[in-house]
Amino acid sequence: MIRPNPVSERVLLVEGRDDERVIRELCEHAGFSCDFSIIDKNGKDRLLRSIRNEVEVSGRTALGVVLDANNDIAARWQAVRNQLSRADTAVQPDLDPTGSVIQGMPRVGVWIMPDNQNEGQLEDFVAAMIPQNDVVWPLAQDYIKSIPDPHRPSPLIKAQVHAWLAARPRPRHMGTAIQAGDFDTQASLAESFINWMKRLFER
C-alpha cells in the first residue's frame, strides 16, 4: 500500500527505498540540508505517471525527479519530457549532463542515473564513489563476472557493488555505508549531484 504523498513546497521523487537512503546520506555527508521531502514512488512507471500531478500540487515551488537510465537513457528522458509537457512545462530537447533544471513555478529538476549521459542505474552512481585504488573493488567485479551462465546476476554492476559492500570489515547497505564513510563523497559525480540539488532546491 502506497502512503499518500505529503504536501510539501519542495519534493524529490525517487524510484525506490535505496535511492532515498543514498540521497539522504549523501546530503548529510556533504553538509547539504535535506529540508525537502523525498518520496519513494515504488518503481519507475509509478514515478513517471505521478509527475504531472506532482507538478500541479498547489504551493509547490520545486520538484525533482531521479530515475535510472537502465538500458536506454534517451527513452527515459523522453518519457520524462512527455509527462512534463502534459503539465504544460516547457522542457529543452536535450538532458543537461550536469542535471537539468527547468525554471518556472514550480522549478523542475531531472537527474537520470548514473550521470545524465550513460546507461546505468543507482549502483553505477554509487560505484563512482568507491575510493580510487581500492584493492577489493576489482576482486568484487571479477568474482561476479566469473559466475557462469545462467547463474550470473544481471545487471552485473548491482551485484558487484553489493559484493564489495559485503566484503567490507563491517558490511552495510549503500546508504549506511555512505554514512560510515566507506565511500568517497567528494568524488566528482557525487559533487555534481549535490550541485544539481542545490540549483534545484536552494531558495
Side-chain angles (χ1 to χ4, degrees):
M1 179 179 177
I2 300 175
R3 295 187 300 273
N5 292 345
V7 176
S8 172
E9 289 183 359
R10 302 184 300 162
V11 164
L12 183 69
L13 309 179
V14 298
E15 288 189 49
R17 181 64 174 153
D18 283 342
D19 305 80
E20 179 182 352
R21 289 173 174 168
V22 165
I23 291 169
R24 282 194 188 281
E25 295 301 339
L26 184 57
C27 288
E28 182 76 19
H29 216 268
F32 176 56
S33 177
C34 246
D35 58 346
F36 50 88
S37 298
I38 302 179
I39 301 177
D40 167 10
K41 286 294 184 176
N42 195 24
K44 166 183 65 70
D45 293 336
R46 285 182 174 145
L47 192 161
L48 286 168
R49 288 195 299 267
S50 75
I51 288 175
R52 180 179 180 181
N53 288 339
E54 295 288 356
V55 168
E56 294 174 347
V57 169
S58 177
R60 181 140 298 159
T61 59
L63 176 71
V65 174
V66 175
L67 279 165
D68 289 344
N70 295 130
N71 297 321
D72 195 338
I73 188 170
R76 196 70 69 246
W77 172 235
Q78 187 58 51
V80 174
R81 291 185 70 220
N82 290 345
Q83 293 298 320
L84 289 173
S85 68
R86 293 180 62 202
D88 296 323
T89 300
V91 187
Q92 69 269 28
D94 298 320
L95 178 62
D96 188 329
T98 65
S100 290
V101 176
I102 302 118
Q103 297 300 327
M105 186 53 73
R107 187 164 55 246
V108 176
V110 181
W111 182 283
I112 299 185
M113 290 286 181
D115 60 3
N116 304 298
Q117 300 175 76
N118 295 293
E119 296 177 355
Q121 56 193 31
L122 176 67
E123 283 78 10
D124 291 280
F125 176 86
V126 170
M129 293 189 288
I130 292 175
Q132 289 189 3
N133 303 318
D134 181 273
V135 297
V136 177
W137 177 231
L139 300 174
Q141 291 175 293
D142 290 343
Y143 164 65
I144 298 301
K145 288 178 183 176
S146 72
I147 297 173
D149 288 331
H151 306 291
R152 185 181 300 126
S154 179
L156 284 176
I157 187 64
K158 187 169 186 174
Q160 288 168 334
V161 166
H162 289 282
W164 181 82
L165 287 166
R168 301 296 295 167
R170 293 190 63 184
R172 300 176 174 93
H173 294 294
M174 290 185 291
T176 50
I178 292 172
Q179 183 184 54
D182 290 344
F183 289 103
D184 177 12
T185 56
Q186 294 184 325
S188 60
L189 185 55
E191 289 191 339
S192 181
F193 183 79
I194 291 294
N195 287 336
W196 168 74
M197 286 200 294
K198 288 179 178 178
R199 286 189 287 130
L200 175 62
F201 288 121
E202 284 188 338
R203 300 180 191 274

